[in-house]
Short mmCIF file of all heavy atoms in Angstrom, two decimals:
data_model
loop_
_atom_site.label_atom_id
_atom_site.label_comp_id
_atom_site.label_asym_id
_atom_site.label_seq_id
_atom_site.Cartn_x
_atom_site.Cartn_y
_atom_site.Cartn_z
N PHE G 1500 -9.48 4.41 -10.28
CA PHE G 1500 -10.77 5.05 -10.14
C PHE G 1500 -10.64 6.50 -10.60
O PHE G 1500 -9.62 7.14 -10.36
CB PHE G 1500 -11.26 5.06 -8.69
CG PHE G 1500 -11.60 3.72 -8.14
CD1 PHE G 1500 -10.64 2.97 -7.47
CD2 PHE G 1500 -12.87 3.20 -8.28
CE1 PHE G 1500 -10.95 1.72 -6.95
CE2 PHE G 1500 -13.20 1.96 -7.75
CZ PHE G 1500 -12.24 1.22 -7.09
N THR G 1501 -11.69 7.04 -11.23
CA THR G 1501 -11.74 8.46 -11.56
C THR G 1501 -12.96 9.05 -10.86
O THR G 1501 -14.08 8.60 -11.09
CB THR G 1501 -11.84 8.67 -13.09
OG1 THR G 1501 -10.69 8.05 -13.70
CG2 THR G 1501 -11.88 10.14 -13.44
N LEU G 1502 -12.70 10.03 -9.99
CA LEU G 1502 -13.75 10.66 -9.21
C LEU G 1502 -13.90 12.13 -9.59
O LEU G 1502 -12.90 12.80 -9.83
CB LEU G 1502 -13.42 10.59 -7.72
CG LEU G 1502 -13.18 9.20 -7.12
CD1 LEU G 1502 -12.70 9.35 -5.69
CD2 LEU G 1502 -14.47 8.41 -7.14
N PRO G 1503 -15.12 12.64 -9.62
CA PRO G 1503 -15.27 14.08 -9.81
C PRO G 1503 -14.72 14.82 -8.59
O PRO G 1503 -14.67 14.26 -7.49
CB PRO G 1503 -16.78 14.28 -9.94
CG PRO G 1503 -17.40 13.07 -9.36
CD PRO G 1503 -16.38 11.96 -9.45
N ARG G 1504 -14.27 16.04 -8.79
CA ARG G 1504 -13.73 16.91 -7.74
C ARG G 1504 -12.30 16.56 -7.39
O ARG G 1504 -11.72 15.64 -7.92
CB ARG G 1504 -14.59 16.87 -6.48
CG ARG G 1504 -16.00 17.33 -6.69
CD ARG G 1504 -16.72 17.46 -5.36
NE ARG G 1504 -18.07 17.90 -5.55
CZ ARG G 1504 -19.08 17.10 -5.88
NH1 ARG G 1504 -18.88 15.82 -6.06
NH2 ARG G 1504 -20.28 17.59 -6.03
N THR G 1505 -11.77 17.32 -6.45
CA THR G 1505 -10.43 17.06 -5.95
C THR G 1505 -10.51 16.70 -4.47
O THR G 1505 -11.47 17.07 -3.80
CB THR G 1505 -9.52 18.30 -6.13
OG1 THR G 1505 -10.08 19.38 -5.39
CG2 THR G 1505 -9.38 18.68 -7.59
N TYR G 1506 -9.53 15.99 -4.01
CA TYR G 1506 -9.48 15.54 -2.62
C TYR G 1506 -8.11 15.85 -2.03
O TYR G 1506 -7.21 15.02 -2.10
CB TYR G 1506 -9.76 14.04 -2.54
CG TYR G 1506 -11.16 13.69 -2.94
CD1 TYR G 1506 -11.51 13.49 -4.27
CD2 TYR G 1506 -12.16 13.53 -1.99
CE1 TYR G 1506 -12.80 13.16 -4.64
CE2 TYR G 1506 -13.46 13.21 -2.33
CZ TYR G 1506 -13.78 13.02 -3.67
OH TYR G 1506 -15.06 12.71 -4.02
N PRO G 1507 -7.94 17.05 -1.45
CA PRO G 1507 -6.64 17.38 -0.88
C PRO G 1507 -6.31 16.56 0.38
O PRO G 1507 -5.16 16.38 0.72
CB PRO G 1507 -6.75 18.88 -0.54
CG PRO G 1507 -8.21 19.18 -0.56
CD PRO G 1507 -8.88 18.16 -1.40
N ASP G 1508 -7.34 16.05 1.04
CA ASP G 1508 -7.16 15.24 2.24
C ASP G 1508 -7.17 13.76 1.85
O ASP G 1508 -8.18 13.25 1.36
CB ASP G 1508 -8.28 15.54 3.25
CG ASP G 1508 -8.12 14.75 4.55
OD1 ASP G 1508 -7.15 14.01 4.71
OD2 ASP G 1508 -9.03 14.89 5.40
N ALA G 1509 -6.06 13.08 2.03
CA ALA G 1509 -5.92 11.67 1.62
C ALA G 1509 -6.92 10.76 2.32
O ALA G 1509 -7.40 9.79 1.73
CB ALA G 1509 -4.49 11.20 1.88
N ASN G 1510 -7.23 11.05 3.58
CA ASN G 1510 -8.19 10.22 4.31
C ASN G 1510 -9.59 10.30 3.72
O ASN G 1510 -10.30 9.31 3.64
CB ASN G 1510 -8.22 10.60 5.80
CG ASN G 1510 -6.95 10.22 6.51
OD1 ASN G 1510 -6.27 9.27 6.14
ND2 ASN G 1510 -6.59 10.98 7.53
N LYS G 1511 -10.00 11.52 3.31
CA LYS G 1511 -11.32 11.68 2.69
C LYS G 1511 -11.38 10.96 1.35
O LYS G 1511 -12.39 10.36 0.99
CB LYS G 1511 -11.66 13.16 2.52
CG LYS G 1511 -11.97 13.85 3.83
CD LYS G 1511 -12.33 15.29 3.62
CE LYS G 1511 -12.61 15.96 4.96
NZ LYS G 1511 -12.94 17.37 4.82
N LEU G 1512 -10.28 11.02 0.60
CA LEU G 1512 -10.22 10.32 -0.68
C LEU G 1512 -10.34 8.82 -0.45
O LEU G 1512 -11.13 8.14 -1.13
CB LEU G 1512 -8.92 10.64 -1.42
CG LEU G 1512 -8.67 9.87 -2.71
CD1 LEU G 1512 -9.76 10.14 -3.74
CD2 LEU G 1512 -7.31 10.21 -3.29
N LEU G 1513 -9.58 8.28 0.48
CA LEU G 1513 -9.63 6.82 0.74
C LEU G 1513 -11.04 6.42 1.19
O LEU G 1513 -11.56 5.40 0.74
CB LEU G 1513 -8.61 6.44 1.82
CG LEU G 1513 -8.55 4.96 2.15
CD1 LEU G 1513 -8.23 4.11 0.94
CD2 LEU G 1513 -7.54 4.70 3.27
N LYS G 1514 -11.67 7.22 2.03
CA LYS G 1514 -13.01 6.91 2.49
C LYS G 1514 -13.99 6.86 1.32
O LYS G 1514 -14.82 5.94 1.22
CB LYS G 1514 -13.47 7.95 3.53
CG LYS G 1514 -14.80 7.64 4.16
CD LYS G 1514 -15.13 8.63 5.24
CE LYS G 1514 -16.48 8.32 5.85
NZ LYS G 1514 -16.83 9.22 6.94
N LYS G 1515 -13.91 7.83 0.40
CA LYS G 1515 -14.78 7.86 -0.78
C LYS G 1515 -14.52 6.66 -1.68
O LYS G 1515 -15.45 6.03 -2.18
CB LYS G 1515 -14.59 9.18 -1.53
CG LYS G 1515 -15.49 9.32 -2.72
CD LYS G 1515 -16.95 9.39 -2.30
CE LYS G 1515 -17.84 9.67 -3.50
NZ LYS G 1515 -19.25 9.71 -3.14
N LEU G 1516 -13.25 6.33 -1.88
CA LEU G 1516 -12.90 5.19 -2.71
C LEU G 1516 -13.42 3.88 -2.10
O LEU G 1516 -13.90 3.00 -2.82
CB LEU G 1516 -11.38 5.12 -2.91
CG LEU G 1516 -10.80 6.21 -3.81
CD1 LEU G 1516 -9.29 6.28 -3.65
CD2 LEU G 1516 -11.19 6.00 -5.25
N GLN G 1517 -13.34 3.75 -0.78
CA GLN G 1517 -13.86 2.55 -0.13
C GLN G 1517 -15.38 2.49 -0.27
O GLN G 1517 -15.94 1.42 -0.47
CB GLN G 1517 -13.45 2.54 1.34
CG GLN G 1517 -11.98 2.26 1.54
CD GLN G 1517 -11.53 2.43 2.97
OE1 GLN G 1517 -12.12 3.17 3.76
NE2 GLN G 1517 -10.42 1.77 3.31
N GLU G 1518 -16.02 3.63 -0.23
CA GLU G 1518 -17.47 3.71 -0.36
C GLU G 1518 -17.93 3.19 -1.72
O GLU G 1518 -18.91 2.45 -1.82
CB GLU G 1518 -17.90 5.17 -0.18
CG GLU G 1518 -19.37 5.42 -0.15
CD GLU G 1518 -19.63 6.92 0.04
OE1 GLU G 1518 -19.19 7.48 1.07
OE2 GLU G 1518 -20.29 7.51 -0.84
N ILE G 1519 -17.20 3.57 -2.77
CA ILE G 1519 -17.61 3.16 -4.12
C ILE G 1519 -16.93 1.89 -4.62
O ILE G 1519 -17.45 1.21 -5.50
CB ILE G 1519 -17.41 4.28 -5.16
CG1 ILE G 1519 -15.93 4.64 -5.31
CG2 ILE G 1519 -18.23 5.49 -4.82
CD1 ILE G 1519 -15.63 5.53 -6.47
N GLY G 1520 -15.77 1.55 -4.04
CA GLY G 1520 -14.99 0.43 -4.57
C GLY G 1520 -15.10 -0.88 -3.82
O GLY G 1520 -14.80 -1.94 -4.37
N ASN G 1521 -15.52 -0.83 -2.56
CA ASN G 1521 -15.61 -2.05 -1.77
C ASN G 1521 -16.82 -2.89 -2.22
O ASN G 1521 -17.91 -2.36 -2.41
CB ASN G 1521 -15.75 -1.75 -0.28
CG ASN G 1521 -14.45 -1.31 0.34
OD1 ASN G 1521 -13.39 -1.30 -0.29
ND2 ASN G 1521 -14.51 -0.90 1.59
N THR G 1522 -16.57 -4.18 -2.41
CA THR G 1522 -17.62 -5.12 -2.73
C THR G 1522 -17.51 -6.28 -1.75
O THR G 1522 -16.68 -6.26 -0.84
CB THR G 1522 -17.48 -5.65 -4.18
OG1 THR G 1522 -16.27 -6.41 -4.29
CG2 THR G 1522 -17.47 -4.51 -5.19
N GLU G 1523 -18.31 -7.31 -1.98
CA GLU G 1523 -18.24 -8.48 -1.09
C GLU G 1523 -16.91 -9.22 -1.21
O GLU G 1523 -16.48 -9.88 -0.28
CB GLU G 1523 -19.40 -9.43 -1.38
CG GLU G 1523 -20.73 -8.87 -0.97
CD GLU G 1523 -21.86 -9.85 -1.20
OE1 GLU G 1523 -21.61 -11.06 -1.35
OE2 GLU G 1523 -23.02 -9.39 -1.25
N THR G 1524 -16.27 -9.11 -2.37
CA THR G 1524 -15.03 -9.85 -2.59
C THR G 1524 -13.78 -8.97 -2.71
O THR G 1524 -12.67 -9.48 -2.65
CB THR G 1524 -15.13 -10.71 -3.88
OG1 THR G 1524 -15.40 -9.84 -4.98
CG2 THR G 1524 -16.22 -11.75 -3.73
N GLU G 1525 -13.96 -7.65 -2.89
CA GLU G 1525 -12.82 -6.75 -3.07
C GLU G 1525 -12.91 -5.60 -2.07
O GLU G 1525 -13.98 -5.04 -1.85
CB GLU G 1525 -12.80 -6.17 -4.47
CG GLU G 1525 -12.60 -7.21 -5.56
CD GLU G 1525 -12.66 -6.59 -6.96
OE1 GLU G 1525 -12.85 -5.35 -7.08
OE2 GLU G 1525 -12.51 -7.35 -7.92
N LYS G 1526 -11.75 -5.23 -1.50
CA LYS G 1526 -11.68 -4.12 -0.56
C LYS G 1526 -10.56 -3.18 -0.99
O LYS G 1526 -9.45 -3.61 -1.31
CB LYS G 1526 -11.40 -4.61 0.86
CG LYS G 1526 -12.42 -5.59 1.41
CD LYS G 1526 -13.79 -4.97 1.56
CE LYS G 1526 -14.77 -6.00 2.09
NZ LYS G 1526 -16.14 -5.60 1.96
N VAL G 1527 -10.84 -1.88 -0.97
CA VAL G 1527 -9.83 -0.86 -1.23
C VAL G 1527 -9.08 -0.64 0.06
O VAL G 1527 -9.68 -0.34 1.10
CB VAL G 1527 -10.47 0.47 -1.71
CG1 VAL G 1527 -9.42 1.55 -1.89
CG2 VAL G 1527 -11.27 0.24 -3.01
#
């Protein structure tokens, strides 16, 4: 995934990735 901005906090990055990447069949 390529996201705008930087994410120094790994938990915030994972949360954002799950927000955009999770689907009915795939989970980050």
Side-chain angles (χ1 to χ4, degrees):
F1500 292 92
T1501 301
L1502 303 172
R1504 300 189 180 82
T1505 60
Y1506 294 85
D1508 182 2
N1510 291 331
K1511 288 181 181 179
L1512 175 60
L1513 181 59
K1514 185 175 180 178
K1515 182 65 175 178
L1516 289 165
Q1517 289 172 335
E1518 186 179 301
I1519 64 169
N1521 285 355
T1522 65
E1523 290 182 20
T1524 58
E1525 297 177 0
K1526 302 296 179 194
V1527 176

